[in-house]
Amino acid sequence: MFLTQNCLSQELNVDSLFLEFKKNIQIEQQENAGVIRFDDETRITYYQLLNYSKIENLFSYTNDTNAAIRSYIFAGLVQKNVDSSIIKNILIKHINDTSKFSVMITDVKISWKVNEYMQNRVKTKAENKQKDIDFIKEIDRIKSKIQININGVSHGMIDKEALLKLDSLVCTDEKIKIFSFTLIIGNKSFKSANNILTKKNEKLY
């Protein structure tokens, strides 16, 4: 079952934040045939990591085995306006890093080599084409989105056990009511004329 939901609780331990971000990237790659869509759950952990990490921590993460992770961490360092000597050091270290990763921007799939991505980030910054990001404000903006309030959803997915615990669907904004929904699991579907999950739904799974 696919839904949209944000992960709202994170420990502020830097290594824990990095491992959570890495896990989210790996999940996206596994679920999307290697392509990163950077959903809200992943984006929150990314911004938290950039906001709370020291420069030396982020510098070490640019050596991660995952091409996308070391590229995004580098982009974060550029975003944070770190000393140019640090940026140059990383660029030199990865000058021959041709490992590839793919990301989906709206409906367009873009493939990058690590060294090309890093050079592009520096160029974009130098040309003043990079948008400054307030990480905390962006996290708050993402969390404030109206969504279906369902425990157990991760990256738009929920397992059977968590789904069976639900008796109804409600929004995070109490002013918005759900009057009907369609539940789709595999090639089966069920339409409800209200927001209640009943025994009839359970026959689908």
Side-chain angles (χ1 to χ4, degrees), residues 36-184:
I36 300 167
R37 294 182 178 274
F38 234 88
D39 62 18
D40 286 345
E41 190 168 340
T42 301
R43 196 171 297 277
I44 286 175
T45 55
Y46 180 56
Y47 289 154
Q48 286 180 324
L49 178 64
L50 295 181
N51 187 70
Y52 294 108
S53 294
K54 294 181 179 179
I55 300 303
E56 54 263 35
N57 293 112
L58 294 174
F59 180 85
S60 68
Y61 299 149
T62 61
N63 297 317
D64 191 80
T65 56
N66 188 303
I69 290 174
R70 54 184 184 268
S71 297
Y72 283 128
I73 296 299
F74 176 80
L77 285 167
V78 174
Q79 179 71 50
K80 287 170 71 72
N81 298 311
V82 303
D83 191 277
S84 60
S85 63
I86 296 176
I87 298 299
K88 184 177 180 180
N89 190 341
I90 299 172
L91 284 175
I92 292 173
K93 188 172 183 178
H94 293 278
I95 192 169
N96 295 316
D97 190 345
T98 56
S99 299
K100 296 180 180 180
F101 67 99
S102 297
V103 59
M104 187 70 73
I105 307 296
T106 58
D107 294 325
V108 180
K109 176 184 173 182
I110 302 175
S111 294
W112 288 99
K113 293 178 181 178
V114 172
N115 54 0
E116 292 176 348
Y117 182 85
M118 289 183 173
Q119 292 162 12
N120 177 268
R121 292 296 86 203
V122 173
K123 180 181 178 181
T124 300
K125 178 70 175 179
E127 295 175 350
N128 295 316
K129 295 180 180 179
Q130 176 176 277
K131 177 184 176 182
D132 290 332
I133 298 175
D134 184 316
F135 302 126
I136 296 301
K137 285 185 178 180
E138 277 300 296
I139 291 170
D140 289 341
R141 182 190 64 79
I142 293 170
K143 290 182 178 181
S144 67
K145 289 182 179 180
I146 298 172
Q147 57 190 337
I148 299 174
N149 191 15
I150 301 178
N151 292 325
V153 173
S154 178
H155 298 283
M157 297 176 289
I158 185 171
D159 60 28
K160 178 179 177 179
E161 288 71 25
L163 184 60
L164 287 171
K165 293 178 182 179
L166 296 174
D167 57 8
S168 62
L169 300 179
V170 295
C171 289
T172 51
D173 187 336
E174 295 181 355
K175 293 180 292 185
I176 298 177
K177 306 297 181 183
I178 297 175
F179 292 100
S180 65
F181 69 90
T182 300
L183 175 65
I184 301 173

